[in-house]
Amino acid sequence: MKLSIVIVSFAAIVTSAAGFSSPVARSRSSSIMTSLSMSTATEAAPFAKGPRVIREQLPILYVYDHCPFCVRVRLALGIKNVKHLVHFLANDDIATPTGLVGKKIAPIFALPEDDFVMSESLDIIAKVDADERFGPTGQILPASGRKDIKAWQKSVQTLLRTLQRPRYVATGLLPEFQQLDGRHAFIKNHQLPPYEKPEWKGDGSEENPGMDMDVKLNLYAEAMAADPAPLIEDLNARLIELDDMLYSEHHCSEGGLGLDDIDLWARLRSISIIRGVEWPSKLRTYIDNLSAMGDVPLYDEMAL
């Protein structure tokens, strides 16, 4: 009996310790090697992160944890090593963002020292990267305009919506979904394939009031209860395709770390909430590297 208690206690310690270690040090048991990942993984040097930037009045970033547009800014601030406060909005909180910028939107960036507030992720990143108060300017390269990665993102959109959206709310762990009202607000406004937004949400008219909430809840429950194996198998094959598009384990495009990475990584992070995904080796190292550099955790420990 005592031995079993010791074993369980040790397992709990090992599991909890993962949260205190660098992501790049974790096991790669769920990664696979592709031919191109072997040839290009060490060709590029990692981004040189600057000294810690701590303003007397810290910037405040209002976000939803699952939102890739919010993650863009979190990643950029982390890469630039800018200390900031993260304010996680409840998904049903309309008053806070509306009071700041006039509507329910995220991310929102506030600079108390300037009495300044703004929205739109890429505009926020551009402002921070051009301001000498936040370290060297121009650290994040502009978007390269790569069409292959954009095409890949579009090709997996339906697949990822089907797998990710039910898991966001089902974990019960994301800060914006801590309460039932927040989870219901998300389900109310985010359709599952094959439904389109007009059919799901409606337009407020009597002719198109939108889908009944009970139907939406049942569809989310059915999506979580369904066997994900066929979809995950498809996703694993698509990740191998992306792995071959990746320039290196440090940045996805030739030339260095830039907006290509900010956008791609923000979307890849959400895939880590799906249990059973097999990451190609270079791609797995890439997402871990940027997670550590940007100080934005992945979802591996809560994957469903």
Side-chain angles (χ1 to χ4, degrees), residues 43-237:
E43 289 179 1
F47 178 84
K49 195 169 181 175
R52 189 68 161 157
V53 176
I54 306 178
R55 304 294 300 171
E56 185 174 347
Q57 291 183 281
L58 296 179
I60 306 169
L61 187 62
Y62 297 83
V63 299
Y64 305 119
D65 190 82
H66 75 279
C67 166
F69 305 107
C70 300
V71 173
R72 283 175 176 176
V73 184
R74 293 174 64 189
L75 179 63
L77 290 173
I79 287 169
K80 289 184 67 67
N81 213 4
V82 176
K83 184 173 178 60
H84 58 285
L85 300 177
V86 181
H87 182 116
F88 291 105
L89 296 162
N91 202 255
D92 63 320
D93 181 356
I94 299 175
T96 300
T98 301
L100 289 166
V101 294
K103 59 181 175 179
K104 185 181 185 296
I105 192 173
I108 298 171
F109 183 67
L111 277 178
E113 64 183 280
D114 293 348
D115 193 23
F116 176 82
V117 180
M118 70 181 298
S119 59
E120 300 297 338
S121 61
L122 297 181
D123 293 341
I124 295 168
I125 293 169
K127 177 175 177 59
V128 171
D129 201 28
D131 191 329
E132 293 180 349
R133 292 178 295 177
F134 302 115
T137 60
Q139 286 184 300
I140 299 172
L141 296 178
S144 69
R146 286 184 62 175
K147 295 181 179 180
D148 56 345
I149 291 180
K150 288 296 182 185
W152 183 88
Q153 290 177 347
K154 186 174 182 180
S155 75
V156 297
Q157 184 180 70
T158 298
L159 176 62
L160 294 183
R161 283 180 177 176
T162 304
L163 287 167
Q164 290 170 352
R165 286 183 172 178
R167 284 164 174 77
Y168 290 150
V169 293
T171 64
L173 296 174
L174 301 190
E176 57 265 41
F177 302 132
Q178 288 293 302
Q179 295 178 305
L180 186 63
D181 287 343
R183 297 193 289 275
H184 281 192
F186 182 85
I187 293 170
K188 178 182 179 181
N189 294 314
H190 291 81
Q191 76 276 12
L192 290 177
Y195 300 99
E196 296 295 333
K197 184 173 289 188
E199 181 181 6
W200 188 273
K201 290 185 66 175
D203 58 14
S205 67
E206 292 184 5
E207 294 77 16
N208 185 19
M211 195 178 293
D212 185 80
M213 188 63 187
D214 286 338
V215 175
K216 295 177 182 179
L217 291 170
N218 285 333
L219 288 170
Y220 264 73
E222 290 170 2
M224 271 306 301
D227 180 9
L231 296 178
I232 292 175
E233 182 179 0
D234 186 9
L235 177 57
N236 289 339

Side-chain angles (χ1 to χ4, degrees), residues 7-22 26 301-302:
I7 292 173
V8 171
S9 299
F10 177 74
I13 291 170
V14 170
T15 301
S16 63
F20 298 94
S21 62
S22 170
R26 296 182 186 175
E301 306 298 340
M302 65 173 76

Side-chain angles (χ1 to χ4, degrees), residues 22-32 279 281 284-285 288:
S22 170
V24 295
R26 296 182 186 175
S27 169
R28 294 289 162 262
S29 58
S30 61
S31 65
I32 55 177
W279 294 90
S281 180
R284 179 72 231 199
T285 304
D288 283 342

